[in-house]
Amino acid sequence: MLKENKIFDAHIHFNDDYKYTNEMIEPMINEAIKNDVEGFLCASFDINSSKKAVELSKKYKGIVFAGIAIHPNDVSKNNFSVMEELDELAKEAGVIAIGETGLDYFYTKEDAELQKTFFKKHIELAKKHNKALQIHIRDHVNVFEAYDDVIEILKEYSLEKVIVHCFSANSIYAQKFLDLGCYINIGGAVTFKNAKVLQEAVEIIPLEKMLVETDAPYLTPHPHRGQLNEAKFINLTVEKIAEIKNVTKEEVIKLTTSNAKLIFNI
């Protein structure tokens, strides 16, 4: 049972073999626990990372939980049979989310229709297994086509447990997702000196609809930006949110962890 005075990292990639070796994971978890982090959602991006997330949820039961999915940038490398593998993995006790899935038009839109099809299949998987859906959305700066397409797809379904991972748009789109009942993950980018637009969005997102994440090993918060991100650095994100919202760090932790317990049923 998660304690509400401890932080839940709602999106981390212990399963990223490009950045983390197996030997790095346990010391990183232990160091985070010393810094008031008690639980982690290990989100996935392909079938191998999904399997590893499940393995880690078994090894660190009650501390690391798994999210399973095919990242939108990876859909063109897969066929639909991979969804059958995800369907089997979703039955594992440590799986609490389907993610990260969604739409990413940053590198290319050539496979946009395929991305949409895979996204819908992930939504159906989340509904079938009653799991939270964690969405990745990315587009070019000040271009929101991927966001608009995600919103239109979400309107086709009746979903109660949806999280927008690593939110990086503006307050207008924050409100659009809130209007759909979504929770919004805030990561280390909120600490960046040039993150005024994101900080303005955080101002209008109620803590009752917010989760916190590292997205480690990526998006390391200030003042460690440029270094490999670690789980313990989530405290810097929490502190920045508290500053923006003019509340205590303890209040941010209590509400975001309470949200995690509710949406993930942990």
Side-chain angles (χ1 to χ4, degrees), residues 142-247:
N142 295 323
V143 177
F144 301 101
E145 189 174 353
Y147 291 84
D148 291 332
D149 287 350
V150 164
I151 288 168
E152 288 307 307
I153 290 171
L154 288 177
K155 288 178 179 177
E156 298 175 18
Y157 295 87
S158 176
L159 294 168
E160 295 182 0
K161 301 187 292 184
V162 180
I163 307 151
V164 181
H165 141 68
C166 195
F167 185 79
S168 58
N170 54 37
S171 57
I172 294 171
Y173 277 88
Q175 190 60 56
K176 287 184 179 185
F177 285 111
L178 291 170
D179 290 344
L180 288 173
C182 299
Y183 288 78
I184 298 179
N185 267 21
I186 302 299
V190 74
T191 69
F192 296 171
K193 293 179 180 179
N194 63 347
K196 183 179 178 182
V197 172
L198 176 56
Q199 291 165 5
E200 289 172 350
V202 169
E203 288 181 17
I204 68 112
I205 301 169
L207 285 172
E208 291 79 6
K209 299 297 289 187
M210 187 182 294
L211 299 170
V212 291
E213 66 167 72
T214 54
D215 200 18
Y218 309 99
L219 291 176
T220 313
H222 177 80
H224 303 288
R225 191 176 182 182
Q227 301 176 26
L228 189 71
N229 201 1
E230 297 183 36
K232 66 180 180 181
F233 290 152
I234 199 169
N235 280 276
L236 296 166
T237 299
V238 170
E239 289 164 6
K240 187 64 179 181
I241 293 169
E243 176 190 321
I244 294 168
K245 305 289 281 184
N246 195 27
V247 297

Side-chain angles (χ1 to χ4, degrees), residues 4-191:
E4 291 185 356
N5 64 339
K6 302 293 184 181
I7 303 169
F8 185 82
D9 183 347
H11 193 105
I12 190 168
H13 295 291
F14 290 130
N15 49 357
D16 188 331
D17 292 337
Y18 297 103
K19 299 285 187 178
Y20 292 149
T21 64
N22 289 332
E23 292 72 26
M24 295 170 69
I25 297 171
E26 189 159 326
M28 195 187 318
I29 291 173
N30 291 336
E31 188 67 21
I33 289 172
K34 291 177 185 175
N35 285 274
D36 294 324
V37 187
E38 193 174 65
F40 311 86
L41 171 59
C42 184
S44 301
F45 42 88
D46 61 16
I47 193 63
N48 288 332
S49 61
S50 295
K51 290 176 180 177
K52 185 166 184 177
V54 171
E55 290 170 6
L56 291 169
S57 74
K58 293 177 180 178
K59 183 174 182 179
Y60 302 103
K61 187 176 180 180
I63 298 173
V64 175
F65 301 87
I68 59 171
I70 308 300
H71 190 285
N73 287 148
D74 275 29
V75 297
S76 60
K77 304 173 188 174
N78 290 271
N79 57 51
F80 295 138
S81 65
V82 75
M83 299 304 301
E84 297 173 10
E85 294 184 75
L86 291 177
D87 186 33
E88 285 300 311
L89 288 175
K91 299 172 185 176
E92 296 283 353
V95 175
I96 60 172
I98 304 301
E100 58 188 284
T101 180
L103 301 177
D104 191 320
Y105 298 164
F106 184 77
Y107 293 111
T108 180
K109 273 190 62 186
E110 289 183 2
D111 62 353
E113 291 306 313
L114 183 62
Q115 287 190 38
K116 290 176 187 178
T117 301
F118 264 94
F119 181 36
K120 290 177 181 180
K121 288 183 177 294
H122 281 79
I123 292 173
E124 290 159 6
L125 187 66
K127 284 176 69 70
K128 176 180 178 180
H129 293 278
N130 191 28
K131 305 293 185 185
L133 180 77
Q134 193 168 70
I135 305 174
H136 166 101
I137 315 168
R138 183 165 50 172
D139 214 320
H140 295 277
V141 177
N142 295 323
V143 177
F144 301 101
E145 189 174 353
Y147 291 84
D148 291 332
D149 287 350
V150 164
I151 288 168
E152 288 307 307
I153 290 171
L154 288 177
K155 288 178 179 177
E156 298 175 18
Y157 295 87
S158 176
L159 294 168
E160 295 182 0
K161 301 187 292 184
V162 180
I163 307 151
V164 181
H165 141 68
C166 195
F167 185 79
S168 58
N170 54 37
S171 57
I172 294 171
Y173 277 88
Q175 190 60 56
K176 287 184 179 185
F177 285 111
L178 291 170
D179 290 344
L180 288 173
C182 299
Y183 288 78
I184 298 179
N185 267 21
I186 302 299
V190 74
T191 69

